Amino acid sequence: MPDAATETIIRPIEKADLPTLLALYQHLNAEDPMLDPQVAESRFADILAHPGMTIFAAFDGEKATSSVTLVVIPNLTRAGAPYALIENVVTHADYRQRGLAGQVIGKAVETAWERNCYKAMLLTGSKDPATLRFYANCGFQQDKTGFQIRRPG
């Protein structure tokens, strides 16, 4: 594991990073079944080819230790300024409490501003005050009401 003097590398995920990203995602939803390798490769190719979609990750060597997905969405309101969604924020259990999630979120927000987004949004299912405080400390305001609907079955 890196020491305090080691600079964290944060960069967009690339094709060769799929195995380490899938391993990291086990720390997001441990109950999720592992994707079939062919399905994972197909979905990952779709993600990499999707305009405006970027997965940023912090790395310890070749190991992804924290990541976030940024999606920049074109828009016809707000003078045509796009908006951004941030999803799948996760840090490997062995790397938590080091500021990595804040750094990858910061990179995603910085990229959203570079792409002229007028806002960046994220949702969390967590009710944990520490998690909510973390997002507030990243600059997010809890000033809207979010809703979701999930496909049955």
Side-chain angles (χ1 to χ4, degrees), residues 12-112:
I13 289 284
E14 300 169 352
K15 185 176 180 178
D17 298 319
L18 179 57
T20 190
L21 182 63
L22 291 175
L24 177 60
Y25 281 167
Q26 288 299 297
H27 294 266
L28 179 62
N29 293 309
E31 67 280 358
D32 279 359
M34 288 293 289
L35 280 177
D36 173 85
Q38 289 181 324
V39 172
E41 287 177 18
S42 175
R43 296 290 189 279
F44 194 52
D46 290 346
I47 288 168
L48 293 175
H50 196 285
M53 189 169 191
T54 308
I55 301 174
F56 291 103
F59 285 86
D60 179 5
E62 298 298 313
K63 180 179 185 177
T65 56
S66 186
S67 75
V68 62
T69 300
L70 171 70
V71 183
V72 175
I73 302 165
N75 189 21
L76 291 173
T77 66
R78 303 290 180 152
Y83 58 95
L85 295 176
I86 293 175
E87 183 63 54
N88 294 337
V89 178
V90 59
T91 300
H92 189 289
D94 294 342
Y95 289 81
R96 292 184 180 151
Q97 301 298 315
R98 298 179 187 203
L100 295 173
Q103 289 178 51
V104 294
I105 288 172
K107 179 64 175 174
V109 170
E110 174 187 325
T111 301

XYZ file of all heavy atoms in Angstrom, residues 12-112:
760
model
N -8.586 8.001 -16.093
C -9.713 7.237 -16.634
C -9.342 5.758 -16.771
O -8.194 5.421 -17.090
C -9.939 7.865 -18.014
C -9.333 9.224 -17.930
C -8.159 9.070 -16.996
N -10.305 4.913 -16.522
C -10.134 3.473 -16.693
C -9.911 3.166 -18.173
O -10.514 3.800 -19.044
C -11.400 2.744 -16.173
C -11.467 2.816 -14.649
C -11.484 1.329 -16.665
C -10.533 1.888 -13.930
N -9.064 2.182 -18.433
C -8.782 1.726 -19.798
C -9.167 0.258 -19.923
O -9.427 -0.415 -18.925
C -7.291 1.902 -20.099
C -6.834 3.347 -19.985
C -5.330 3.502 -20.006
O -4.593 2.482 -19.960
O -4.865 4.659 -20.065
N -9.152 -0.235 -21.143
C -9.573 -1.605 -21.424
C -8.866 -2.636 -20.539
O -9.504 -3.549 -20.014
C -9.338 -1.932 -22.902
C -9.860 -3.283 -23.310
C -9.698 -3.515 -24.798
C -10.258 -4.900 -25.153
N -10.160 -5.157 -26.578
N -7.574 -2.490 -20.337
C -6.801 -3.456 -19.552
C -7.154 -3.431 -18.064
O -6.770 -4.341 -17.324
C -5.304 -3.202 -19.729
N -7.910 -2.416 -17.620
C -8.244 -2.258 -16.205
C -9.492 -3.021 -15.775
O -9.860 -2.987 -14.605
C -8.438 -0.776 -15.858
C -7.191 0.051 -16.082
O -6.090 -0.434 -15.753
O -7.320 1.187 -16.582
N -10.157 -3.702 -16.702
C -11.416 -4.366 -16.356
C -11.285 -5.311 -15.165
O -12.099 -5.232 -14.234
C -12.007 -5.098 -17.566
C -13.317 -5.851 -17.300
C -14.405 -4.929 -16.764
C -13.780 -6.562 -18.567
N -10.288 -6.205 -15.105
C -10.228 -7.126 -13.949
C -10.108 -6.412 -12.604
O -10.791 -6.779 -11.641
C -8.993 -7.980 -14.244
C -8.829 -7.924 -15.724
C -9.274 -6.535 -16.111
N -9.293 -5.377 -12.530
C -9.129 -4.679 -11.252
C -10.365 -3.855 -10.908
O -10.725 -3.716 -9.742
C -7.842 -3.829 -11.225
O -7.625 -3.363 -9.892
C -7.883 -2.654 -12.173
N -11.063 -3.340 -11.931
C -12.299 -2.611 -11.674
C -13.378 -3.547 -11.145
O -14.077 -3.227 -10.173
C -12.775 -1.911 -12.949
C -14.045 -1.068 -12.810
C -13.829 0.095 -11.845
C -14.500 -0.569 -14.169
N -13.508 -4.715 -11.748
C -14.507 -5.686 -11.268
C -14.207 -6.121 -9.834
O -15.122 -6.284 -9.025
C -14.562 -6.891 -12.205
C -15.137 -6.625 -13.593
C -15.030 -7.878 -14.457
C -16.575 -6.128 -13.527
N -12.931 -6.304 -9.516
C -12.551 -6.657 -8.143
C -12.931 -5.526 -7.181
O -13.440 -5.775 -6.082
C -11.060 -6.962 -8.075
N -12.694 -4.291 -7.594
C -13.054 -3.141 -6.758
C -14.562 -3.073 -6.542
O -15.025 -2.796 -5.433
C -12.547 -1.849 -7.401
C -12.911 -0.552 -6.692
C -12.357 -0.510 -5.268
C -12.414 0.642 -7.510
N -15.349 -3.340 -7.583
C -16.803 -3.262 -7.464
C -17.363 -4.264 -6.454
O -18.479 -4.082 -5.968
C -17.477 -3.438 -8.821
C -17.451 -2.194 -9.687
C -17.772 -2.271 -11.030
C -17.129 -0.948 -9.175
C -17.771 -1.142 -11.839
C -17.110 0.184 -9.966
C -17.440 0.084 -11.294
O -17.432 1.205 -12.092
N -16.621 -5.293 -6.113
C -17.071 -6.215 -5.065
C -17.146 -5.508 -3.708
O -17.823 -5.982 -2.799
C -16.148 -7.434 -4.984
C -16.303 -8.379 -6.161
C -17.713 -8.935 -6.248
O -18.167 -9.633 -5.362
N -18.427 -8.589 -7.325
N -16.473 -4.358 -3.577
C -16.519 -3.575 -2.338
C -17.672 -2.578 -2.350
O -17.924 -1.917 -1.351
C -15.185 -2.848 -2.122
C -14.060 -3.790 -1.885
N -13.646 -4.152 -0.623
C -13.286 -4.481 -2.752
C -12.650 -5.016 -0.724
N -12.413 -5.245 -2.006
N -18.368 -2.474 -3.472
C -19.534 -1.591 -3.575
C -20.798 -2.342 -3.184
O -21.554 -1.908 -2.321
C -19.658 -1.037 -5.001
C -20.836 -0.106 -5.274
C -20.751 1.156 -4.425
C -20.872 0.270 -6.757
N -21.025 -3.466 -3.832
C -22.192 -4.307 -3.559
C -21.710 -5.754 -3.474
O -21.757 -6.484 -4.469
C -23.245 -4.165 -4.673
C -23.865 -2.789 -4.714
O -24.327 -2.281 -3.698
N -23.846 -2.174 -5.878
N -21.261 -6.138 -2.310
C -20.657 -7.464 -2.135
C -21.630 -8.596 -2.472
O -21.209 -9.680 -2.865
C -20.145 -7.628 -0.707
N -22.935 -8.319 -2.363
C -23.926 -9.370 -2.643
C -24.185 -9.554 -4.139
O -24.826 -10.519 -4.545
C -25.238 -9.089 -1.913
C -25.992 -7.866 -2.395
C -25.483 -6.520 -1.878
O -24.530 -6.483 -1.075
O -26.035 -5.493 -2.290
N -23.707 -8.608 -4.961
C -23.896 -8.752 -6.406
C -23.108 -9.951 -6.923
O -21.941 -10.130 -6.563
C -23.400 -7.506 -7.155
C -24.407 -6.372 -7.151
O -25.497 -6.551 -6.581
O -24.089 -5.324 -7.724
N -23.720 -10.755 -7.779
C -22.967 -11.872 -8.370
C -21.924 -11.332 -9.341
O -22.096 -10.263 -9.927
C -24.041 -12.677 -9.115
C -25.138 -11.700 -9.380
C -25.096 -10.695 -8.254
N -20.827 -12.063 -9.483
C -19.803 -11.696 -10.466
C -20.412 -11.819 -11.856
O -21.123 -12.786 -12.136
C -18.580 -12.600 -10.339
C -17.742 -12.348 -9.096
S -16.931 -10.742 -9.089
C -15.681 -10.983 -10.339
N -20.126 -10.863 -12.705
C -20.605 -10.922 -14.080
C -19.874 -12.021 -14.838
O -18.685 -12.242 -14.624
C -20.335 -9.598 -14.796
C -21.275 -8.446 -14.547
C -20.792 -7.210 -15.296
C -22.687 -8.774 -14.954
N -20.588 -12.659 -15.748
C -19.955 -13.576 -16.672
C -18.876 -12.778 -17.420
O -19.122 -11.631 -17.823
C -21.011 -14.092 -17.659
C -20.407 -14.913 -18.767
O -20.197 -16.116 -18.562
O -20.143 -14.320 -19.844
N -17.674 -13.332 -17.606
C -16.581 -12.582 -18.249
C -16.949 -12.001 -19.617
O -16.575 -10.860 -19.926
C -15.451 -13.603 -18.367
C -15.705 -14.552 -17.246
C -17.205 -14.641 -17.129
N -17.689 -12.741 -20.428
C -18.075 -12.216 -21.743
C -19.058 -11.053 -21.616
O -18.969 -10.076 -22.362
C -18.663 -13.318 -22.616
C -17.618 -14.317 -23.093
C -18.222 -15.393 -23.980
O -19.343 -15.828 -23.767
N -17.444 -15.815 -24.979
N -19.977 -11.153 -20.683
C -20.926 -10.063 -20.442
C -20.171 -8.839 -19.934
O -20.401 -7.715 -20.401
C -22.025 -10.486 -19.447
C -22.894 -9.301 -19.042
C -22.874 -11.608 -20.030
N -19.257 -9.054 -18.998
C -18.477 -7.942 -18.453
C -17.676 -7.244 -19.549
O -17.659 -6.004 -19.626
C -17.545 -8.440 -17.350
N -17.035 -8.013 -20.407
C -16.247 -7.417 -21.492
C -17.132 -6.632 -22.453
O -16.751 -5.546 -22.906
C -15.464 -8.502 -22.229
C -14.305 -9.037 -21.423
C -13.559 -10.169 -22.114
O -13.705 -10.338 -23.346
O -12.805 -10.879 -21.418
N -18.304 -7.147 -22.759
C -19.230 -6.456 -23.658
C -19.734 -5.153 -23.036
O -19.742 -4.104 -23.687
C -20.411 -7.375 -23.993
O -21.359 -6.688 -24.763
N -20.158 -5.208 -21.770
C -20.648 -4.003 -21.087
C -19.536 -2.963 -20.980
O -19.755 -1.763 -21.154
C -21.164 -4.326 -19.681
C -22.355 -5.215 -19.614
C -23.634 -4.528 -20.122
N -24.790 -5.351 -19.847
C -25.173 -6.382 -20.599
N -24.494 -6.719 -21.657
N -26.246 -7.073 -20.291
N -18.325 -3.435 -20.668
C -17.189 -2.529 -20.507
C -16.856 -1.850 -21.835
O -16.584 -0.644 -21.867
C -15.993 -3.295 -19.954
C -14.891 -2.420 -19.437
C -15.139 -1.408 -18.518
C -13.581 -2.621 -19.844
C -14.115 -0.606 -18.035
C -12.549 -1.834 -19.356
C -12.815 -0.824 -18.454
N -16.917 -2.599 -22.923
C -16.689 -2.005 -24.248
C -17.735 -0.935 -24.530
O -17.409 0.141 -25.071
C -16.712 -3.087 -25.330
N -18.988 -1.182 -24.150
C -20.050 -0.187 -24.321
C -19.752 1.072 -23.508
O -19.937 2.193 -23.990
C -21.407 -0.749 -23.889
C -21.947 -1.823 -24.815
O -21.431 -1.975 -25.944
O -22.892 -2.529 -24.389
N -19.298 0.887 -22.283
C -18.974 2.024 -21.416
C -17.845 2.841 -22.026
O -17.925 4.072 -22.113
C -18.613 1.538 -19.996
C -19.864 1.037 -19.280
C -17.923 2.648 -19.193
C -19.589 0.272 -17.998
N -16.788 2.169 -22.456
C -15.637 2.880 -23.011
C -15.997 3.638 -24.291
O -15.411 4.680 -24.581
C -14.486 1.912 -23.272
C -13.851 1.294 -22.021
C -12.816 0.253 -22.416
C -13.228 2.364 -21.129
N -16.960 3.119 -25.047
C -17.354 3.750 -26.311
C -18.446 4.804 -26.138
O -18.708 5.570 -27.061
C -17.838 2.671 -27.289
N -19.067 4.856 -24.978
C -20.205 5.746 -24.748
C -19.726 7.196 -24.631
O -18.975 7.525 -23.712
C -20.928 5.332 -23.466
C -22.284 5.917 -23.327
N -22.501 7.234 -22.992
C -23.509 5.371 -23.473
C -23.793 7.468 -22.923
N -24.418 6.356 -23.218
N -20.185 8.069 -25.526
C -19.769 9.480 -25.437
C -20.193 10.095 -24.105
O -21.327 9.922 -23.666
C -20.508 10.150 -26.597
C -20.906 9.041 -27.505
C -21.096 7.827 -26.639
N -19.278 10.787 -23.467
C -19.589 11.481 -22.222
C -19.500 10.625 -20.977
O -19.719 11.116 -19.878
N -19.177 9.346 -21.113
C -19.104 8.460 -19.949
C -17.645 8.124 -19.658
O -16.919 7.677 -20.538
C -19.893 7.187 -20.196
C -20.042 6.314 -18.983
S -21.258 5.002 -19.346
C -21.504 4.357 -17.714
N -17.244 8.360 -18.408
C -15.866 8.102 -17.989
C -15.882 7.487 -16.599
O -16.605 7.965 -15.724
C -15.040 9.408 -17.936
O -15.176 10.108 -19.169
C -13.578 9.125 -17.662
N -15.103 6.457 -16.400
C -14.875 5.911 -15.061
C -13.475 6.355 -14.656
O -12.495 6.035 -15.330
C -14.984 4.378 -15.029
C -16.363 3.929 -15.489
C -14.673 3.864 -13.608
C -16.512 2.424 -15.627
N -13.402 7.130 -13.582
C -12.115 7.551 -13.039
C -11.754 6.633 -11.882
O -12.630 6.247 -11.100
C -12.181 8.990 -12.511
C -12.327 10.013 -13.593
C -13.546 10.605 -13.841
C -11.237 10.382 -14.370
C -13.693 11.556 -14.834
C -11.371 11.326 -15.380
C -12.599 11.921 -15.611
N -10.471 6.306 -11.758
C -10.037 5.458 -10.650
C -8.719 5.954 -10.094
O -7.880 6.507 -10.821
C -9.900 4.008 -11.099
N -8.555 5.729 -8.794
C -7.275 5.912 -8.120
C -6.579 4.558 -8.142
O -7.245 3.518 -8.000
C -7.491 6.374 -6.678
N -5.284 4.577 -8.335
C -4.524 3.338 -8.462
C -3.388 3.274 -7.460
O -2.723 4.271 -7.189
C -3.939 3.213 -9.879
C -4.948 2.850 -10.911
C -5.707 3.828 -11.532
C -5.158 1.527 -11.257
C -6.656 3.493 -12.486
C -6.113 1.180 -12.204
C -6.856 2.172 -12.818
N -3.178 2.062 -6.951
C -1.985 1.691 -6.198
C -1.267 0.699 -7.108
O -1.658 -0.474 -7.174
C -2.369 1.047 -4.873
C -1.160 0.619 -4.044
O -0.018 0.899 -4.460
O -1.366 -0.001 -2.988
N -0.308 1.160 -7.868
C 0.307 0.319 -8.892
C -0.727 0.049 -9.965
O -1.287 0.963 -10.551
N -1.011 -1.236 -10.198
C -2.000 -1.636 -11.203
C -3.382 -1.880 -10.588
O -4.326 -2.215 -11.299
C -1.530 -2.912 -11.920
C -0.228 -2.746 -12.683
C -0.332 -1.713 -13.796
O -1.309 -1.758 -14.567
O 0.568 -0.853 -13.885
N -3.490 -1.725 -9.277
C -4.726 -2.039 -8.555
C -5.601 -0.795 -8.405
O -5.163 0.217 -7.834
C -4.378 -2.590 -7.181
C -5.558 -2.956 -6.321
C -5.065 -3.513 -4.985
C -6.193 -4.002 -4.131
N -5.678 -4.599 -2.884
N -6.828 -0.875 -8.912
C -7.802 0.205 -8.704
C -8.246 0.165 -7.245
O -8.674 -0.870 -6.744
C -8.993 0.040 -9.630
N -8.112 1.294 -6.556
C -8.423 1.350 -5.131
C -9.669 2.175 -4.817
O -10.246 2.034 -3.742
C -7.229 1.916 -4.355
O -6.896 3.201 -4.893
C -6.019 0.986 -4.460
N -10.069 3.034 -5.746
C -11.264 3.847 -5.567
C -11.705 4.284 -6.960
O -10.860 4.520 -7.829
C -10.954 5.069 -4.695
O -12.128 5.796 -4.389
N -13.025 4.373 -7.172
C -13.471 4.805 -8.488
C -14.828 5.497 -8.411
O -15.538 5.415 -7.408
C -13.531 3.635 -9.474
O -14.640 2.810 -9.222
N -15.136 6.163 -9.509
C -16.395 6.872 -9.663
C -16.728 6.888 -11.154
O -15.826 6.956 -11.989
C -16.300 8.309 -9.099
C -15.270 9.135 -9.827
C -17.628 9.013 -9.114
N -18.005 6.793 -11.470
C -18.456 6.899 -12.854
C -19.061 8.280 -13.063
O -19.910 8.723 -12.285
C -19.507 5.818 -13.171
O -18.923 4.538 -12.965
C -19.994 5.936 -14.613
N -18.611 8.946 -14.133
C -19.135 10.254 -14.517
C -19.837 10.113 -15.857
O -19.275 9.539 -16.799
C -17.990 11.266 -14.656
C -18.361 12.622 -15.261
C -19.238 13.430 -14.300
C -17.097 13.402 -15.616
N -21.060 10.619 -15.938
C -21.791 10.651 -17.199
C -22.194 12.101 -17.462
O -22.889 12.713 -16.645
C -23.053 9.754 -17.160
C -23.747 9.756 -18.519
C -22.700 8.342 -16.730
N -21.733 12.642 -18.585
C -22.088 13.990 -19.006
C -23.198 13.858 -20.035
O -23.046 13.160 -21.043
C -20.869 14.736 -19.585
C -21.279 16.088 -20.143
C -19.792 14.904 -18.505
N -24.325 14.528 -19.761
C -25.538 14.362 -20.561
C -25.860 15.660 -21.303
O -26.013 16.714 -20.671
C -26.710 13.955 -19.651
C -26.346 12.652 -18.926
C -28.007 13.828 -20.444
C -27.235 12.322 -17.763
N -25.972 15.576 -22.638
C -26.357 16.769 -23.403
C -27.741 17.252 -22.965
O -28.563 16.476 -22.484
C -26.389 16.274 -24.854
C -25.563 15.032 -24.857
C -25.737 14.418 -23.493
N -28.000 18.535 -23.189
C -29.200 19.139 -22.633
C -29.719 20.235 -23.556
O -28.930 20.919 -24.213
C -28.825 19.732 -21.264
C -29.996 20.207 -20.461
O -31.126 19.807 -20.682
N -29.725 21.068 -19.497
N -31.029 20.422 -23.600
C -31.630 21.494 -24.384
C -32.138 22.648 -23.515
O -32.683 23.615 -24.042
C -32.775 20.949 -25.246
C -32.325 20.040 -26.391
C -33.531 19.406 -27.078
C -31.480 20.811 -27.395
N -31.975 22.542 -22.205
C -32.318 23.655 -21.321
C -31.017 24.258 -20.803
O -29.930 23.813 -21.152
C -33.211 23.190 -20.155
O -32.461 22.307 -19.310
C -34.467 22.487 -20.661
N -31.132 25.255 -19.960
C -29.954 25.908 -19.371
C -28.964 26.356 -20.443
O -27.761 26.124 -20.347
C -29.258 25.002 -18.357
C -30.128 24.528 -17.224
C -30.463 25.675 -16.305
N -31.311 25.187 -15.222
C -31.336 25.746 -14.027
N -30.591 26.783 -13.754
N -32.133 25.261 -13.107
N -29.526 26.974 -21.502
C -28.727 27.489 -22.627
C -27.910 26.381 -23.293
O -26.849 26.612 -23.844
C -27.828 28.642 -22.179
N -28.419 25.154 -23.204
C -27.741 24.028 -23.840
C -26.598 23.457 -23.033
O -25.877 22.577 -23.527
N -26.413 23.921 -21.809
C -25.319 23.398 -20.973
C -25.663 21.983 -20.532
O -26.771 21.714 -20.062
C -25.103 24.285 -19.754
N -24.728 21.050 -20.661
C -24.983 19.687 -20.209
C -25.008 19.613 -18.674
O -24.661 20.576 -17.989
C -23.792 18.904 -20.762
C -22.713 19.905 -20.917
C -23.391 21.217 -21.213
N -25.427 18.473 -18.169
C -25.344 18.211 -16.738
C -24.655 16.874 -16.542
O -24.490 16.095 -17.479
C -26.713 18.260 -16.051
C -27.736 17.301 -16.593
C -27.937 16.055 -16.007
C -28.532 17.646 -17.692
C -28.886 15.177 -16.499
C -29.483 16.778 -18.189
C -29.649 15.549 -17.588
O -30.589 14.674 -18.084
N -24.225 16.612 -15.324
C -23.449 15.408 -15.045
C -24.113 14.583 -13.947
O -24.701 15.127 -13.016
C -22.029 15.782 -14.610
N -23.985 13.277 -14.093
C -24.382 12.326 -13.053
C -23.136 11.608 -12.574
O -22.283 11.215 -13.388
C -25.371 11.304 -13.598
C -26.723 11.821 -14.056
C -27.542 10.679 -14.661
C -27.474 12.445 -12.893
N -23.049 11.425 -11.286
C -21.951 10.680 -10.676
C -22.560 9.465 -10.010
O -23.541 9.569 -9.270
C -21.175 11.559 -9.678
C -20.468 12.677 -10.448
C -20.202 10.724 -8.857
C -19.773 13.683 -9.573
N -21.978 8.305 -10.277
C -22.544 7.042 -9.804
C -21.399 6.091 -9.443
O -20.244 6.321 -9.788
C -23.422 6.454 -10.924
C -24.157 5.180 -10.600
C -25.164 5.324 -9.472
O -26.030 6.191 -9.512
O -25.068 4.516 -8.529
N -21.753 5.019 -8.754
C -20.812 3.933 -8.432
C -19.543 4.423 -7.737
O -18.435 4.062 -8.112
C -20.455 3.128 -9.687
C -21.644 2.374 -10.236
O -22.598 2.092 -9.521
N -21.601 2.049 -11.508
N -19.720 5.233 -6.700
C -18.591 5.692 -5.890
C -18.203 4.546 -4.962
O -19.030 4.065 -4.182
C -18.964 6.941 -5.060
C -17.799 7.376 -4.182
C -19.437 8.069 -5.959
N -16.964 4.097 -5.052
C -16.526 2.967 -4.231
C -15.032 3.082 -3.927
O -14.259 3.550 -4.753
C -16.820 1.605 -4.927
C -16.125 1.500 -6.268
C -16.454 0.428 -4.036
N -14.673 2.653 -2.725
C -13.273 2.539 -2.322
C -13.071 1.151 -1.741
O -13.893 0.672 -0.954
C -12.892 3.616 -1.289
O -13.093 4.905 -1.883
C -11.433 3.499 -0.863
N -11.973 0.522 -2.129
C -11.592 -0.785 -1.591
C -11.511 -0.679 -0.071
O -10.993 0.303 0.473
C -10.234 -1.179 -2.181
C -9.817 -2.574 -1.888
N -9.430 -2.985 -0.628
C -9.704 -3.652 -2.694
C -9.100 -4.254 -0.673
N -9.257 -4.691 -1.918
N -12.030 -1.671 0.626
C -12.081 -1.642 2.099
C -10.713 -1.388 2.726
O -10.618 -0.705 3.752
C -12.674 -2.945 2.627
N -9.647 -1.910 2.135
C -8.298 -1.725 2.690
C -7.739 -0.327 2.469
O -6.672 0.000 2.992
C -7.323 -2.736 2.084
C -7.644 -4.175 2.471
O -8.391 -4.385 3.456
O -7.154 -5.083 1.777
N -8.429 0.501 1.692
C -7.918 1.825 1.332
C -8.829 2.954 1.801
O -8.628 4.101 1.423
C -7.733 1.912 -0.189
C -6.590 1.079 -0.694
C -6.738 -0.285 -0.909
C -5.346 1.648 -0.962
C -5.686 -1.056 -1.372
C -4.289 0.890 -1.429
C -4.467 -0.463 -1.630
O -3.418 -1.224 -2.086
N -9.816 2.653 2.622
C -10.744 3.681 3.076
C -10.095 4.596 4.107
O -9.089 4.265 4.712
C -12.013 3.015 3.642
C -12.784 2.350 2.509
C -14.090 1.736 2.925
N -14.704 1.130 1.735
C -15.504 0.094 1.774
N -15.852 -0.438 2.927
N -15.998 -0.391 0.651
N -10.695 5.756 4.275
C -10.249 6.773 5.221
C -8.887 7.372 4.838
O -8.132 7.810 5.693
C -10.194 6.214 6.666
C -11.516 5.688 7.174
C -12.578 6.773 7.236
O -12.341 7.882 7.700
N -13.767 6.469 6.720
N -8.591 7.407 3.541
C -7.348 8.001 3.041
C -7.607 9.165 2.096
O -6.683 9.705 1.519
C -6.525 6.950 2.293
C -6.094 5.802 3.158
C -5.315 4.819 2.341
N -5.031 3.634 3.123
C -4.043 2.826 2.872
N -3.234 3.055 1.863
N -3.845 1.765 3.613
N -8.875 9.493 1.887
C -9.212 10.600 1.010
C -9.318 10.244 -0.463
O -9.476 11.125 -1.304
N -9.241 8.957 -0.785
C -9.256 8.559 -2.191
C -10.592 8.840 -2.868
O -10.631 9.331 -4.001
C -8.896 7.081 -2.328
C -7.473 6.713 -1.913
C -7.294 5.202 -1.921
C -6.456 7.386 -2.812
N -11.694 8.538 -2.206
C -13.013 8.788 -2.803
C -13.199 10.274 -3.064
O -13.710 10.665 -4.118
C -14.129 8.244 -1.922
N -12.771 11.094 -2.141
C -12.856 12.539 -2.348
C -12.036 12.988 -3.547
O -12.457 13.874 -4.306
N -10.892 12.353 -3.741
C -10.039 12.712 -4.876
C -10.671 12.301 -6.208
O -10.641 13.080 -7.177
C -8.664 12.073 -4.732
C -7.831 12.683 -3.622
C -6.486 11.990 -3.489
O -5.757 11.823 -4.463
N -6.163 11.561 -2.271
N -11.233 11.091 -6.277
C -11.845 10.675 -7.554
C -13.124 11.465 -7.827
O -13.401 11.808 -8.977
C -12.064 9.140 -7.667
C -10.742 8.403 -7.705
C -12.972 8.605 -6.598
N -13.888 11.777 -6.779
C -15.063 12.636 -6.968
C -14.611 14.015 -7.436
O -15.206 14.594 -8.349
C -15.904 12.729 -5.679
C -16.639 11.408 -5.435
C -16.899 13.887 -5.763
C -17.343 11.330 -4.095
N -13.563 14.540 -6.833
C -13.029 15.841 -7.242
C -12.631 15.848 -8.711
O -12.898 16.818 -9.439
N -11.999 14.768 -9.169
C -11.617 14.664 -10.580
C -12.851 14.628 -11.470
O -12.881 15.266 -12.529
C -10.762 13.414 -10.794
C -10.323 13.203 -12.222
C -9.412 14.312 -12.697
C -8.890 14.013 -14.092
N -8.127 15.145 -14.634
N -13.879 13.908 -11.050
C -15.120 13.841 -11.829
C -15.787 15.213 -11.906
O -16.230 15.638 -12.986
C -16.068 12.807 -11.227
N -15.859 15.920 -10.799
C -16.489 17.244 -10.787
C -15.669 18.219 -11.634
O -16.223 18.988 -12.424
C -16.681 17.747 -9.344
C -17.114 19.210 -9.320
C -17.697 16.875 -8.602
N -14.359 18.191 -11.489
C -13.483 19.044 -12.303
C -13.725 18.789 -13.800
O -13.825 19.732 -14.599
C -12.020 18.748 -11.949
C -10.997 19.438 -12.812
C -9.583 18.956 -12.512
O -9.276 18.645 -11.326
O -8.774 18.868 -13.449
N -13.847 17.530 -14.173
C -14.105 17.171 -15.572
C -15.478 17.665 -16.018
O -15.631 18.155 -17.138
C -13.971 15.652 -15.761
O -12.648 15.265 -15.379
C -14.223 15.243 -17.196
N -16.481 17.554 -15.141
C -17.815 18.065 -15.467
C -17.752 19.561 -15.756
O -18.355 20.045 -16.719
C -18.791 17.767 -14.330
